[in-house]
């Protein structure tokens, strides 16, 4: 054990520069008339997303011992505010994802999330682009909107929507050197995205990827693209091979939301992953009526890492998961 | 042995892969914005020395490998096996076969300490010290005074290794040699 293990993982100058960037972000939203909100870190519902591992704890509440979930994103609570008539809101939230530790991952991280009632996904993606440019010190180069499908066509010569499952498994096997016989389409696409496509994104400027497979819609609406395929109305923004933000044309239908929660928990069961309590308050809020809106989550630590020309999240957070 | 999940993978961890013990060299966690997370892992196969690059779905597990590096003194060769003895006072002996010795036969000298890698208590590889002192048993006669022009000649050492040495070296001299490169370093 080194005796300097108590030290912050980021240098004090970096912590000062980080504070400056956070002030820049708050000023950006305040000038644009968004309300800053704070929502609970602990909730009765957690994220059912099959690929997110939520942390939970037992708490003593007026109704006795209850399991509360550390939020993987402030989305559910913020949507309840929107349904209650908050208007455009933003939050710098602490969120938690179990097991995610690496150069660009930390179990606990800062997420900037904001919602724009009445805005289209394109409008919102332009605003994210503006914010990113505002926070970065240097010009990252031009912005490109590119379809998920075209990325796969260009990089791998396959159409992610129409290629056969065998073709996808072969390709994933070739790239990952991993047994893919039992894999789903999305498993294969996720591997190819992570290992082949992501590293190439955002190298000449800011890349905004749109029109994801509908199976990867998460909490976004689905629509038909120009080729007639059902796609998720989502975007992700990349810079320097790093995913910075994830935006949705938000799902509004309570029934559909409930069905997706249930499907997630079924999929979790099949993978021997623990069941997560779905947020019935969100379903009720959607029933009451949430205004049509676009929303986005942005990894603040990653953006600050790029803005300060660092290569590792540890260098821009006071204490990383390794020495917290 | 215990099983290790991808989130316990770190450099130096010994695991079983495709039936061979491997040493994890590097582990990188990658995840698309939404979706399945993966670990890109570089492992050195301890049987062959080859480095493998493999991808795992995060959360998958590998069985740990019972691998230990132990200091042992070289004793002798009986024509088939090479015998080593622990230097911890136990005098416990291990026999290594040709596969475990590999190319290192030419660096084996009695009473010198080597690192023996044991898998399930069997030697699978032998690492010589970085530098070793060996006697010249065969070389052309030394040329007196010819120390400046940098010429070299082959010299056979007591273990059978042949190294390039300066022209002034004579039979019977003890040399210091770098076992990693096989280069002559100097007179011992």
């Amino acid at each position: 054990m080194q005796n300097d293990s108590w030290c912050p993982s980021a240098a004090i100058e970096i912590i000062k520069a980080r504070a400056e960037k956070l002030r820049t972000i708050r000023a950006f939203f305040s000038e644009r008339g968004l309300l800053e909100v704070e929502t609970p870190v602990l909730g009765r519902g957690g994220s059912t997303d099959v690929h997110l591992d939520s942390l939970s704890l037992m708490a003593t509440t007026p109704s006795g011992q209850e399991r509360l979930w550390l939020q993987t994103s402030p989305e559910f609570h913020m949507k309840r505010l929107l349904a209650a008539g908050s208007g455009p809101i933003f939050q710098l939230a602490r969120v938690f994802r179990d097991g995610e530790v690496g150069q660009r991952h930390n179990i606990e991280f800062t997420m900037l999330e904001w919602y724009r009632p009445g805005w289209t996904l394109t409008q919102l993606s332009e605003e994210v682009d503006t914010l990113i440019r505002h926070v970065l010190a240097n010009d990252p180069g031009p912005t490109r909107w590119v379809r998920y499908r075209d990325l796969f066509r260009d990089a791998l010569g396959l159409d992610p929507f129409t290629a056969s499952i065998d073709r996808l498994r072969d390709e994933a096997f070739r790239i990952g050197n991993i047994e893919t016989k039992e894999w789903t389409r999305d498993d294969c696409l996720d591997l190819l995205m992570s290992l082949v496509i992501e590293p190439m994104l955002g190298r000449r400027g800011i890349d905004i990827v749109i029109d994801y497979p509908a199976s990867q819609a998460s909490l976004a609406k689905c629509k038909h693209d120009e080729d007639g395929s059902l796609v998720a109305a989502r975007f992700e923004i990349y810079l320097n091979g790093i995913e910075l933000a994830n935006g949705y044309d938000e799902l509004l239908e309570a029934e559909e939301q409930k069905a997706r929660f249930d499907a997630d928990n079924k999929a979790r069961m099949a993978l021997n992953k623990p069941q997560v309590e779905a947020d019935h308050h969100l379903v009720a809020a959607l029933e009451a009526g949430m205004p049509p809106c676009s929303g986005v989550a942005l990894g603040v630590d990653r953006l600050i890492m790029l803005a300060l020309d660092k290569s590792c999240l540890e260098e821009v957070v006071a204490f990383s998961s390794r020495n917290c | 042995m215990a099983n290790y999940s991808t989130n316990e993978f770190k450099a130096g961890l010994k695991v079983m892969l495709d039936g061979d013990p491997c040493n994890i060299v590097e582990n990188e966690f990658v995840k698309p914005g939404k979706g399945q997370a993966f670990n890109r892992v570089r492992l050195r196969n301890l049987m062959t020395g080859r480095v493998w690059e493999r991808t795992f779905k995060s959360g998958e597990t590998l069985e740990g490998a019972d691998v230990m590096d132990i200091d042992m003194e070289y004793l002798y060769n009986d024509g088939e096996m090479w015998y080593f003895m622990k230097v911890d006072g136990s005098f416990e002996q291990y026999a290594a076969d040709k596969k475990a010795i590999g190319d290192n036969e030419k660096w084996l000298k009695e009473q010198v300490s080597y690192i023996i890698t044991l898998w399930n208590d069997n030697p699978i590889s032998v690492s010589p010290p970085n530098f070793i002192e060996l006697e010249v048993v065969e070389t052309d006669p030394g040329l007196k005074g010819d120390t400046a022009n940098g010429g070299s000649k082959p010299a056979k050492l007591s273990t059978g290794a042949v190294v390039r040495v300066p022209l002034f070296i004579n039979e019977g001299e003890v040399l210091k040699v770098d076992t990693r490169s096989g280069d002559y370093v100097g007179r011992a």
Side-chain angles (χ1 to χ4, degrees), chain A residues 206-225:
Chain A
I206 294 175
D207 278 339
I208 303 182
V209 182
I210 55 171
D211 293 354
Y212 280 71
S215 54
Q216 300 177 13
S218 196
L219 303 183
K221 277 184 189 164
C222 291
K223 59 165 191 174
H224 288 279
D225 74 355

Side-chain angles (χ1 to χ4, degrees), chain A:
Chain A
M1 185 65 107
Q2 286 183 331
N3 56 13
D4 60 356
S5 61
W6 61 271
C7 290
S9 46
I12 297 297
E13 310 82 75
I14 297 294
I15 291 170
K16 288 179 184 167
R18 180 185 172 106
E20 189 56 47
K21 297 296 182 193
L22 293 177
R23 271 195 292 277
T24 303
I25 293 171
R26 287 202 160 91
F28 179 89
F29 288 110
S30 139
E31 274 163 28
R32 288 165 174 249
L34 281 85
L35 177 69
E36 177 166 7
V37 297
E38 290 180 291
T39 58
V41 160
L42 288 170
R44 289 205 168 73
S47 171
T48 56
D49 190 312
V50 179
H51 299 301
L52 291 183
D53 291 329
S54 293
L55 291 160
S56 68
L57 50 80
M58 294 306 290
T60 309
T61 70
S63 39
Q65 286 281 305
E66 275 190 281
R67 181 168 301 283
L68 298 181
W69 299 87
L70 284 162
Q71 301 295 289
T72 57
S73 114
E75 182 158 8
F76 299 163
H77 290 114
M78 289 181 82
K79 285 182 171 173
R80 285 160 66 186
L81 287 173
L82 290 163
S86 65
I89 47 176
F90 82 98
Q91 174 164 208
L92 281 159
R94 270 310 167 84
V95 296
F96 303 82
R97 296 178 178 188
D98 196 17
E100 301 195 1
V101 180
Q103 256 197 316
R104 296 167 191 171
H105 292 86
N106 207 44
I107 291 172
E108 175 179 353
F109 62 101
T110 303
M111 181 179 269
L112 167 63
E113 186 143 331
W114 76 99
Y115 291 87
R116 285 289 202 173
W119 278 35
T120 65
L121 200 56
T122 309
Q123 282 177 302
L124 182 65
S125 66
E126 284 165 354
E127 186 170 56
V128 184
D129 185 67
T130 307
L131 172 80
I132 290 172
R133 290 172 183 279
H134 209 66
V135 173
L136 293 174
N138 303 314
D139 178 12
T143 301
R144 168 179 78 144
W145 274 263
V146 56
R147 298 194 307 164
Y148 185 91
R149 159 179 270 154
D150 293 332
L151 288 172
F152 277 77
R153 280 181 178 163
D154 292 348
L156 295 159
L158 64 81
D159 185 320
F161 292 84
T162 59
S164 71
I165 182 71
D166 289 340
R167 175 78 205 280
L168 293 177
R169 285 173 180 162
D170 285 351
E171 204 65 22
F173 171 76
R174 187 177 68 82
I175 300 292
N177 194 7
I178 176 174
E179 181 53 69
T180 56
K181 271 189 207 131
E182 312 268 307
W183 282 26
T184 63
R185 295 187 72 84
D186 282 327
D187 284 344
C188 300
L189 293 175
D190 283 343
L191 181 137
L192 297 172
M193 187 71 187
S194 302
L195 299 192
V196 179
I197 293 174
E198 282 196 351
M200 304 179 351
L201 292 175
R203 296 296 176 186
R204 262 171 265 146
I206 294 175
D207 278 339
I208 303 182
V209 182
I210 55 171
D211 293 354
Y212 280 71
S215 54
Q216 300 177 13
S218 196
L219 303 183
K221 277 184 189 164
C222 291
K223 59 165 191 174
H224 288 279
D225 74 355
E226 60 205 56
D227 295 326
S229 304
L230 191 64
V231 296
R234 263 179 70 184
F235 65 78
E236 286 195 14
I237 301 191
Y238 286 87
L239 184 58
N240 282 7
I242 297 170
E243 181 233 344
L244 282 180
N246 201 331
Y248 298 153
D249 186 347
E250 301 293 348
L251 183 66
L252 300 173
E253 292 74 30
E255 272 310 302
E256 172 68 15
Q257 180 67 68
K258 193 172 176 310
R260 289 194 195 175
F261 281 156
D262 293 345
D264 277 351
N265 264 328
K266 257 189 208 135
R268 297 183 73 86
M269 181 94 78
L271 291 167
N272 294 319
K273 289 191 167 195
Q275 298 290 293
V276 175
E277 188 64 36
D279 190 353
H280 61 269
H281 287 310
L282 174 65
V283 177
L286 294 179
E287 264 164 21
M290 186 173 84
C293 64
S294 293
V296 63
L298 181 146
V300 173
D301 306 311
R302 289 184 182 177
L303 178 58
I304 289 175
M305 175 181 92
L306 291 179
L308 301 180
D309 205 19
K310 297 290 171 193
S311 56
C312 200
L313 280 195
E314 277 185 303
E315 296 176 274
V316 299
V317 298
F319 299 96
S320 75
S321 296
R322 284 184 226 274
N323 76 336
C324 58

Side-chain angles (χ1 to χ4, degrees), chain B residues 86-124:
Chain B
K86 275 191 180 173
V87 293
D88 59 2
S90 68
F91 303 106
E92 206 179 327
Q93 289 188 21
Y94 286 85
D97 62 12
K98 176 68 198 157
K99 206 173 150 217
I101 299 293
D103 295 335
N104 288 313
E105 185 181 353
K106 61 177 182 287
W107 303 123
L108 293 181
K109 183 183 167 192
E110 285 151 31
Q111 285 155 34
V112 169
S113 190
Y114 297 79
I115 296 170
I116 309 297
T117 302
L118 297 177
W119 172 41
N120 296 334
D121 218 31
N122 286 310
I124 53 168

Side-chain angles (χ1 to χ4, degrees), chain B:
Chain B
M1 285 301 282
N3 281 327
Y4 294 97
S5 155
T6 52
N7 50 37
E8 297 170 279
F9 285 8
K10 56 175 187 233
L13 184 72
K14 311 286 196 296
V15 292
M16 295 300 298
L17 185 62
D18 294 353
D20 280 351
C22 295
N23 180 27
I24 292 181
V25 180
E26 211 181 323
N27 173 32
E28 191 194 354
F29 178 80
V30 288
K31 192 176 195 299
K34 289 272 169 189
Q36 176 70 50
F38 299 96
N39 288 67
R40 281 203 110 168
V41 185
R42 276 158 55 81
L43 315 99
R44 182 179 303 280
N45 181 325
L46 294 172
M47 301 302 281
T48 63
R50 240 188 243 130
V51 175
W52 280 341
E53 194 157 297
R54 288 289 179 97
T55 307
F56 298 88
K57 279 187 179 175
S58 292
E60 285 185 334
T61 59
L62 286 178
E63 190 193 341
D66 180 11
V67 170
M68 276 182 299
D69 287 331
I70 295 182
D71 286 328
M72 294 191 207
E73 211 176 271
Y74 174 58
L75 298 176
Y76 64 96
N77 163 243
D78 68 1
E80 187 191 357
M81 304 293 271
W82 287 258
Y83 293 85
F84 294 83
M85 183 179 72
K86 275 191 180 173
V87 293
D88 59 2
S90 68
F91 303 106
E92 206 179 327
Q93 289 188 21
Y94 286 85
D97 62 12
K98 176 68 198 157
K99 206 173 150 217
I101 299 293
D103 295 335
N104 288 313
E105 185 181 353
K106 61 177 182 287
W107 303 123
L108 293 181
K109 183 183 167 192
E110 285 151 31
Q111 285 155 34
V112 169
S113 190
Y114 297 79
I115 296 170
I116 309 297
T117 302
L118 297 177
W119 172 41
N120 296 334
D121 218 31
N122 286 310
I124 53 168
S125 71
V126 172
S127 311
N130 291 342
F131 299 100
I132 192 167
E133 291 176 4
L134 296 170
E135 188 187 334
V136 177
V137 293
E138 202 181 307
T139 191
D140 292 339
L143 293 174
K144 270 228 168 66
D146 189 15
T147 56
N149 74 6
S152 70
K153 61 180 180 178
K156 190 173 173 190
L157 308 178
S158 55
T159 56
V162 176
V163 297
R164 301 291 304 180
V165 301
L167 299 176
F168 56 79
I169 296 294
N170 285 304
E171 285 179 11
E173 286 192 85
V174 176
L175 307 183
K176 187 176 178 184
V177 180
D178 187 328
T179 61
R180 295 161 297 185
S181 59
D183 287 343
Y184 161 87
V185 178
R187 285 175 165 140

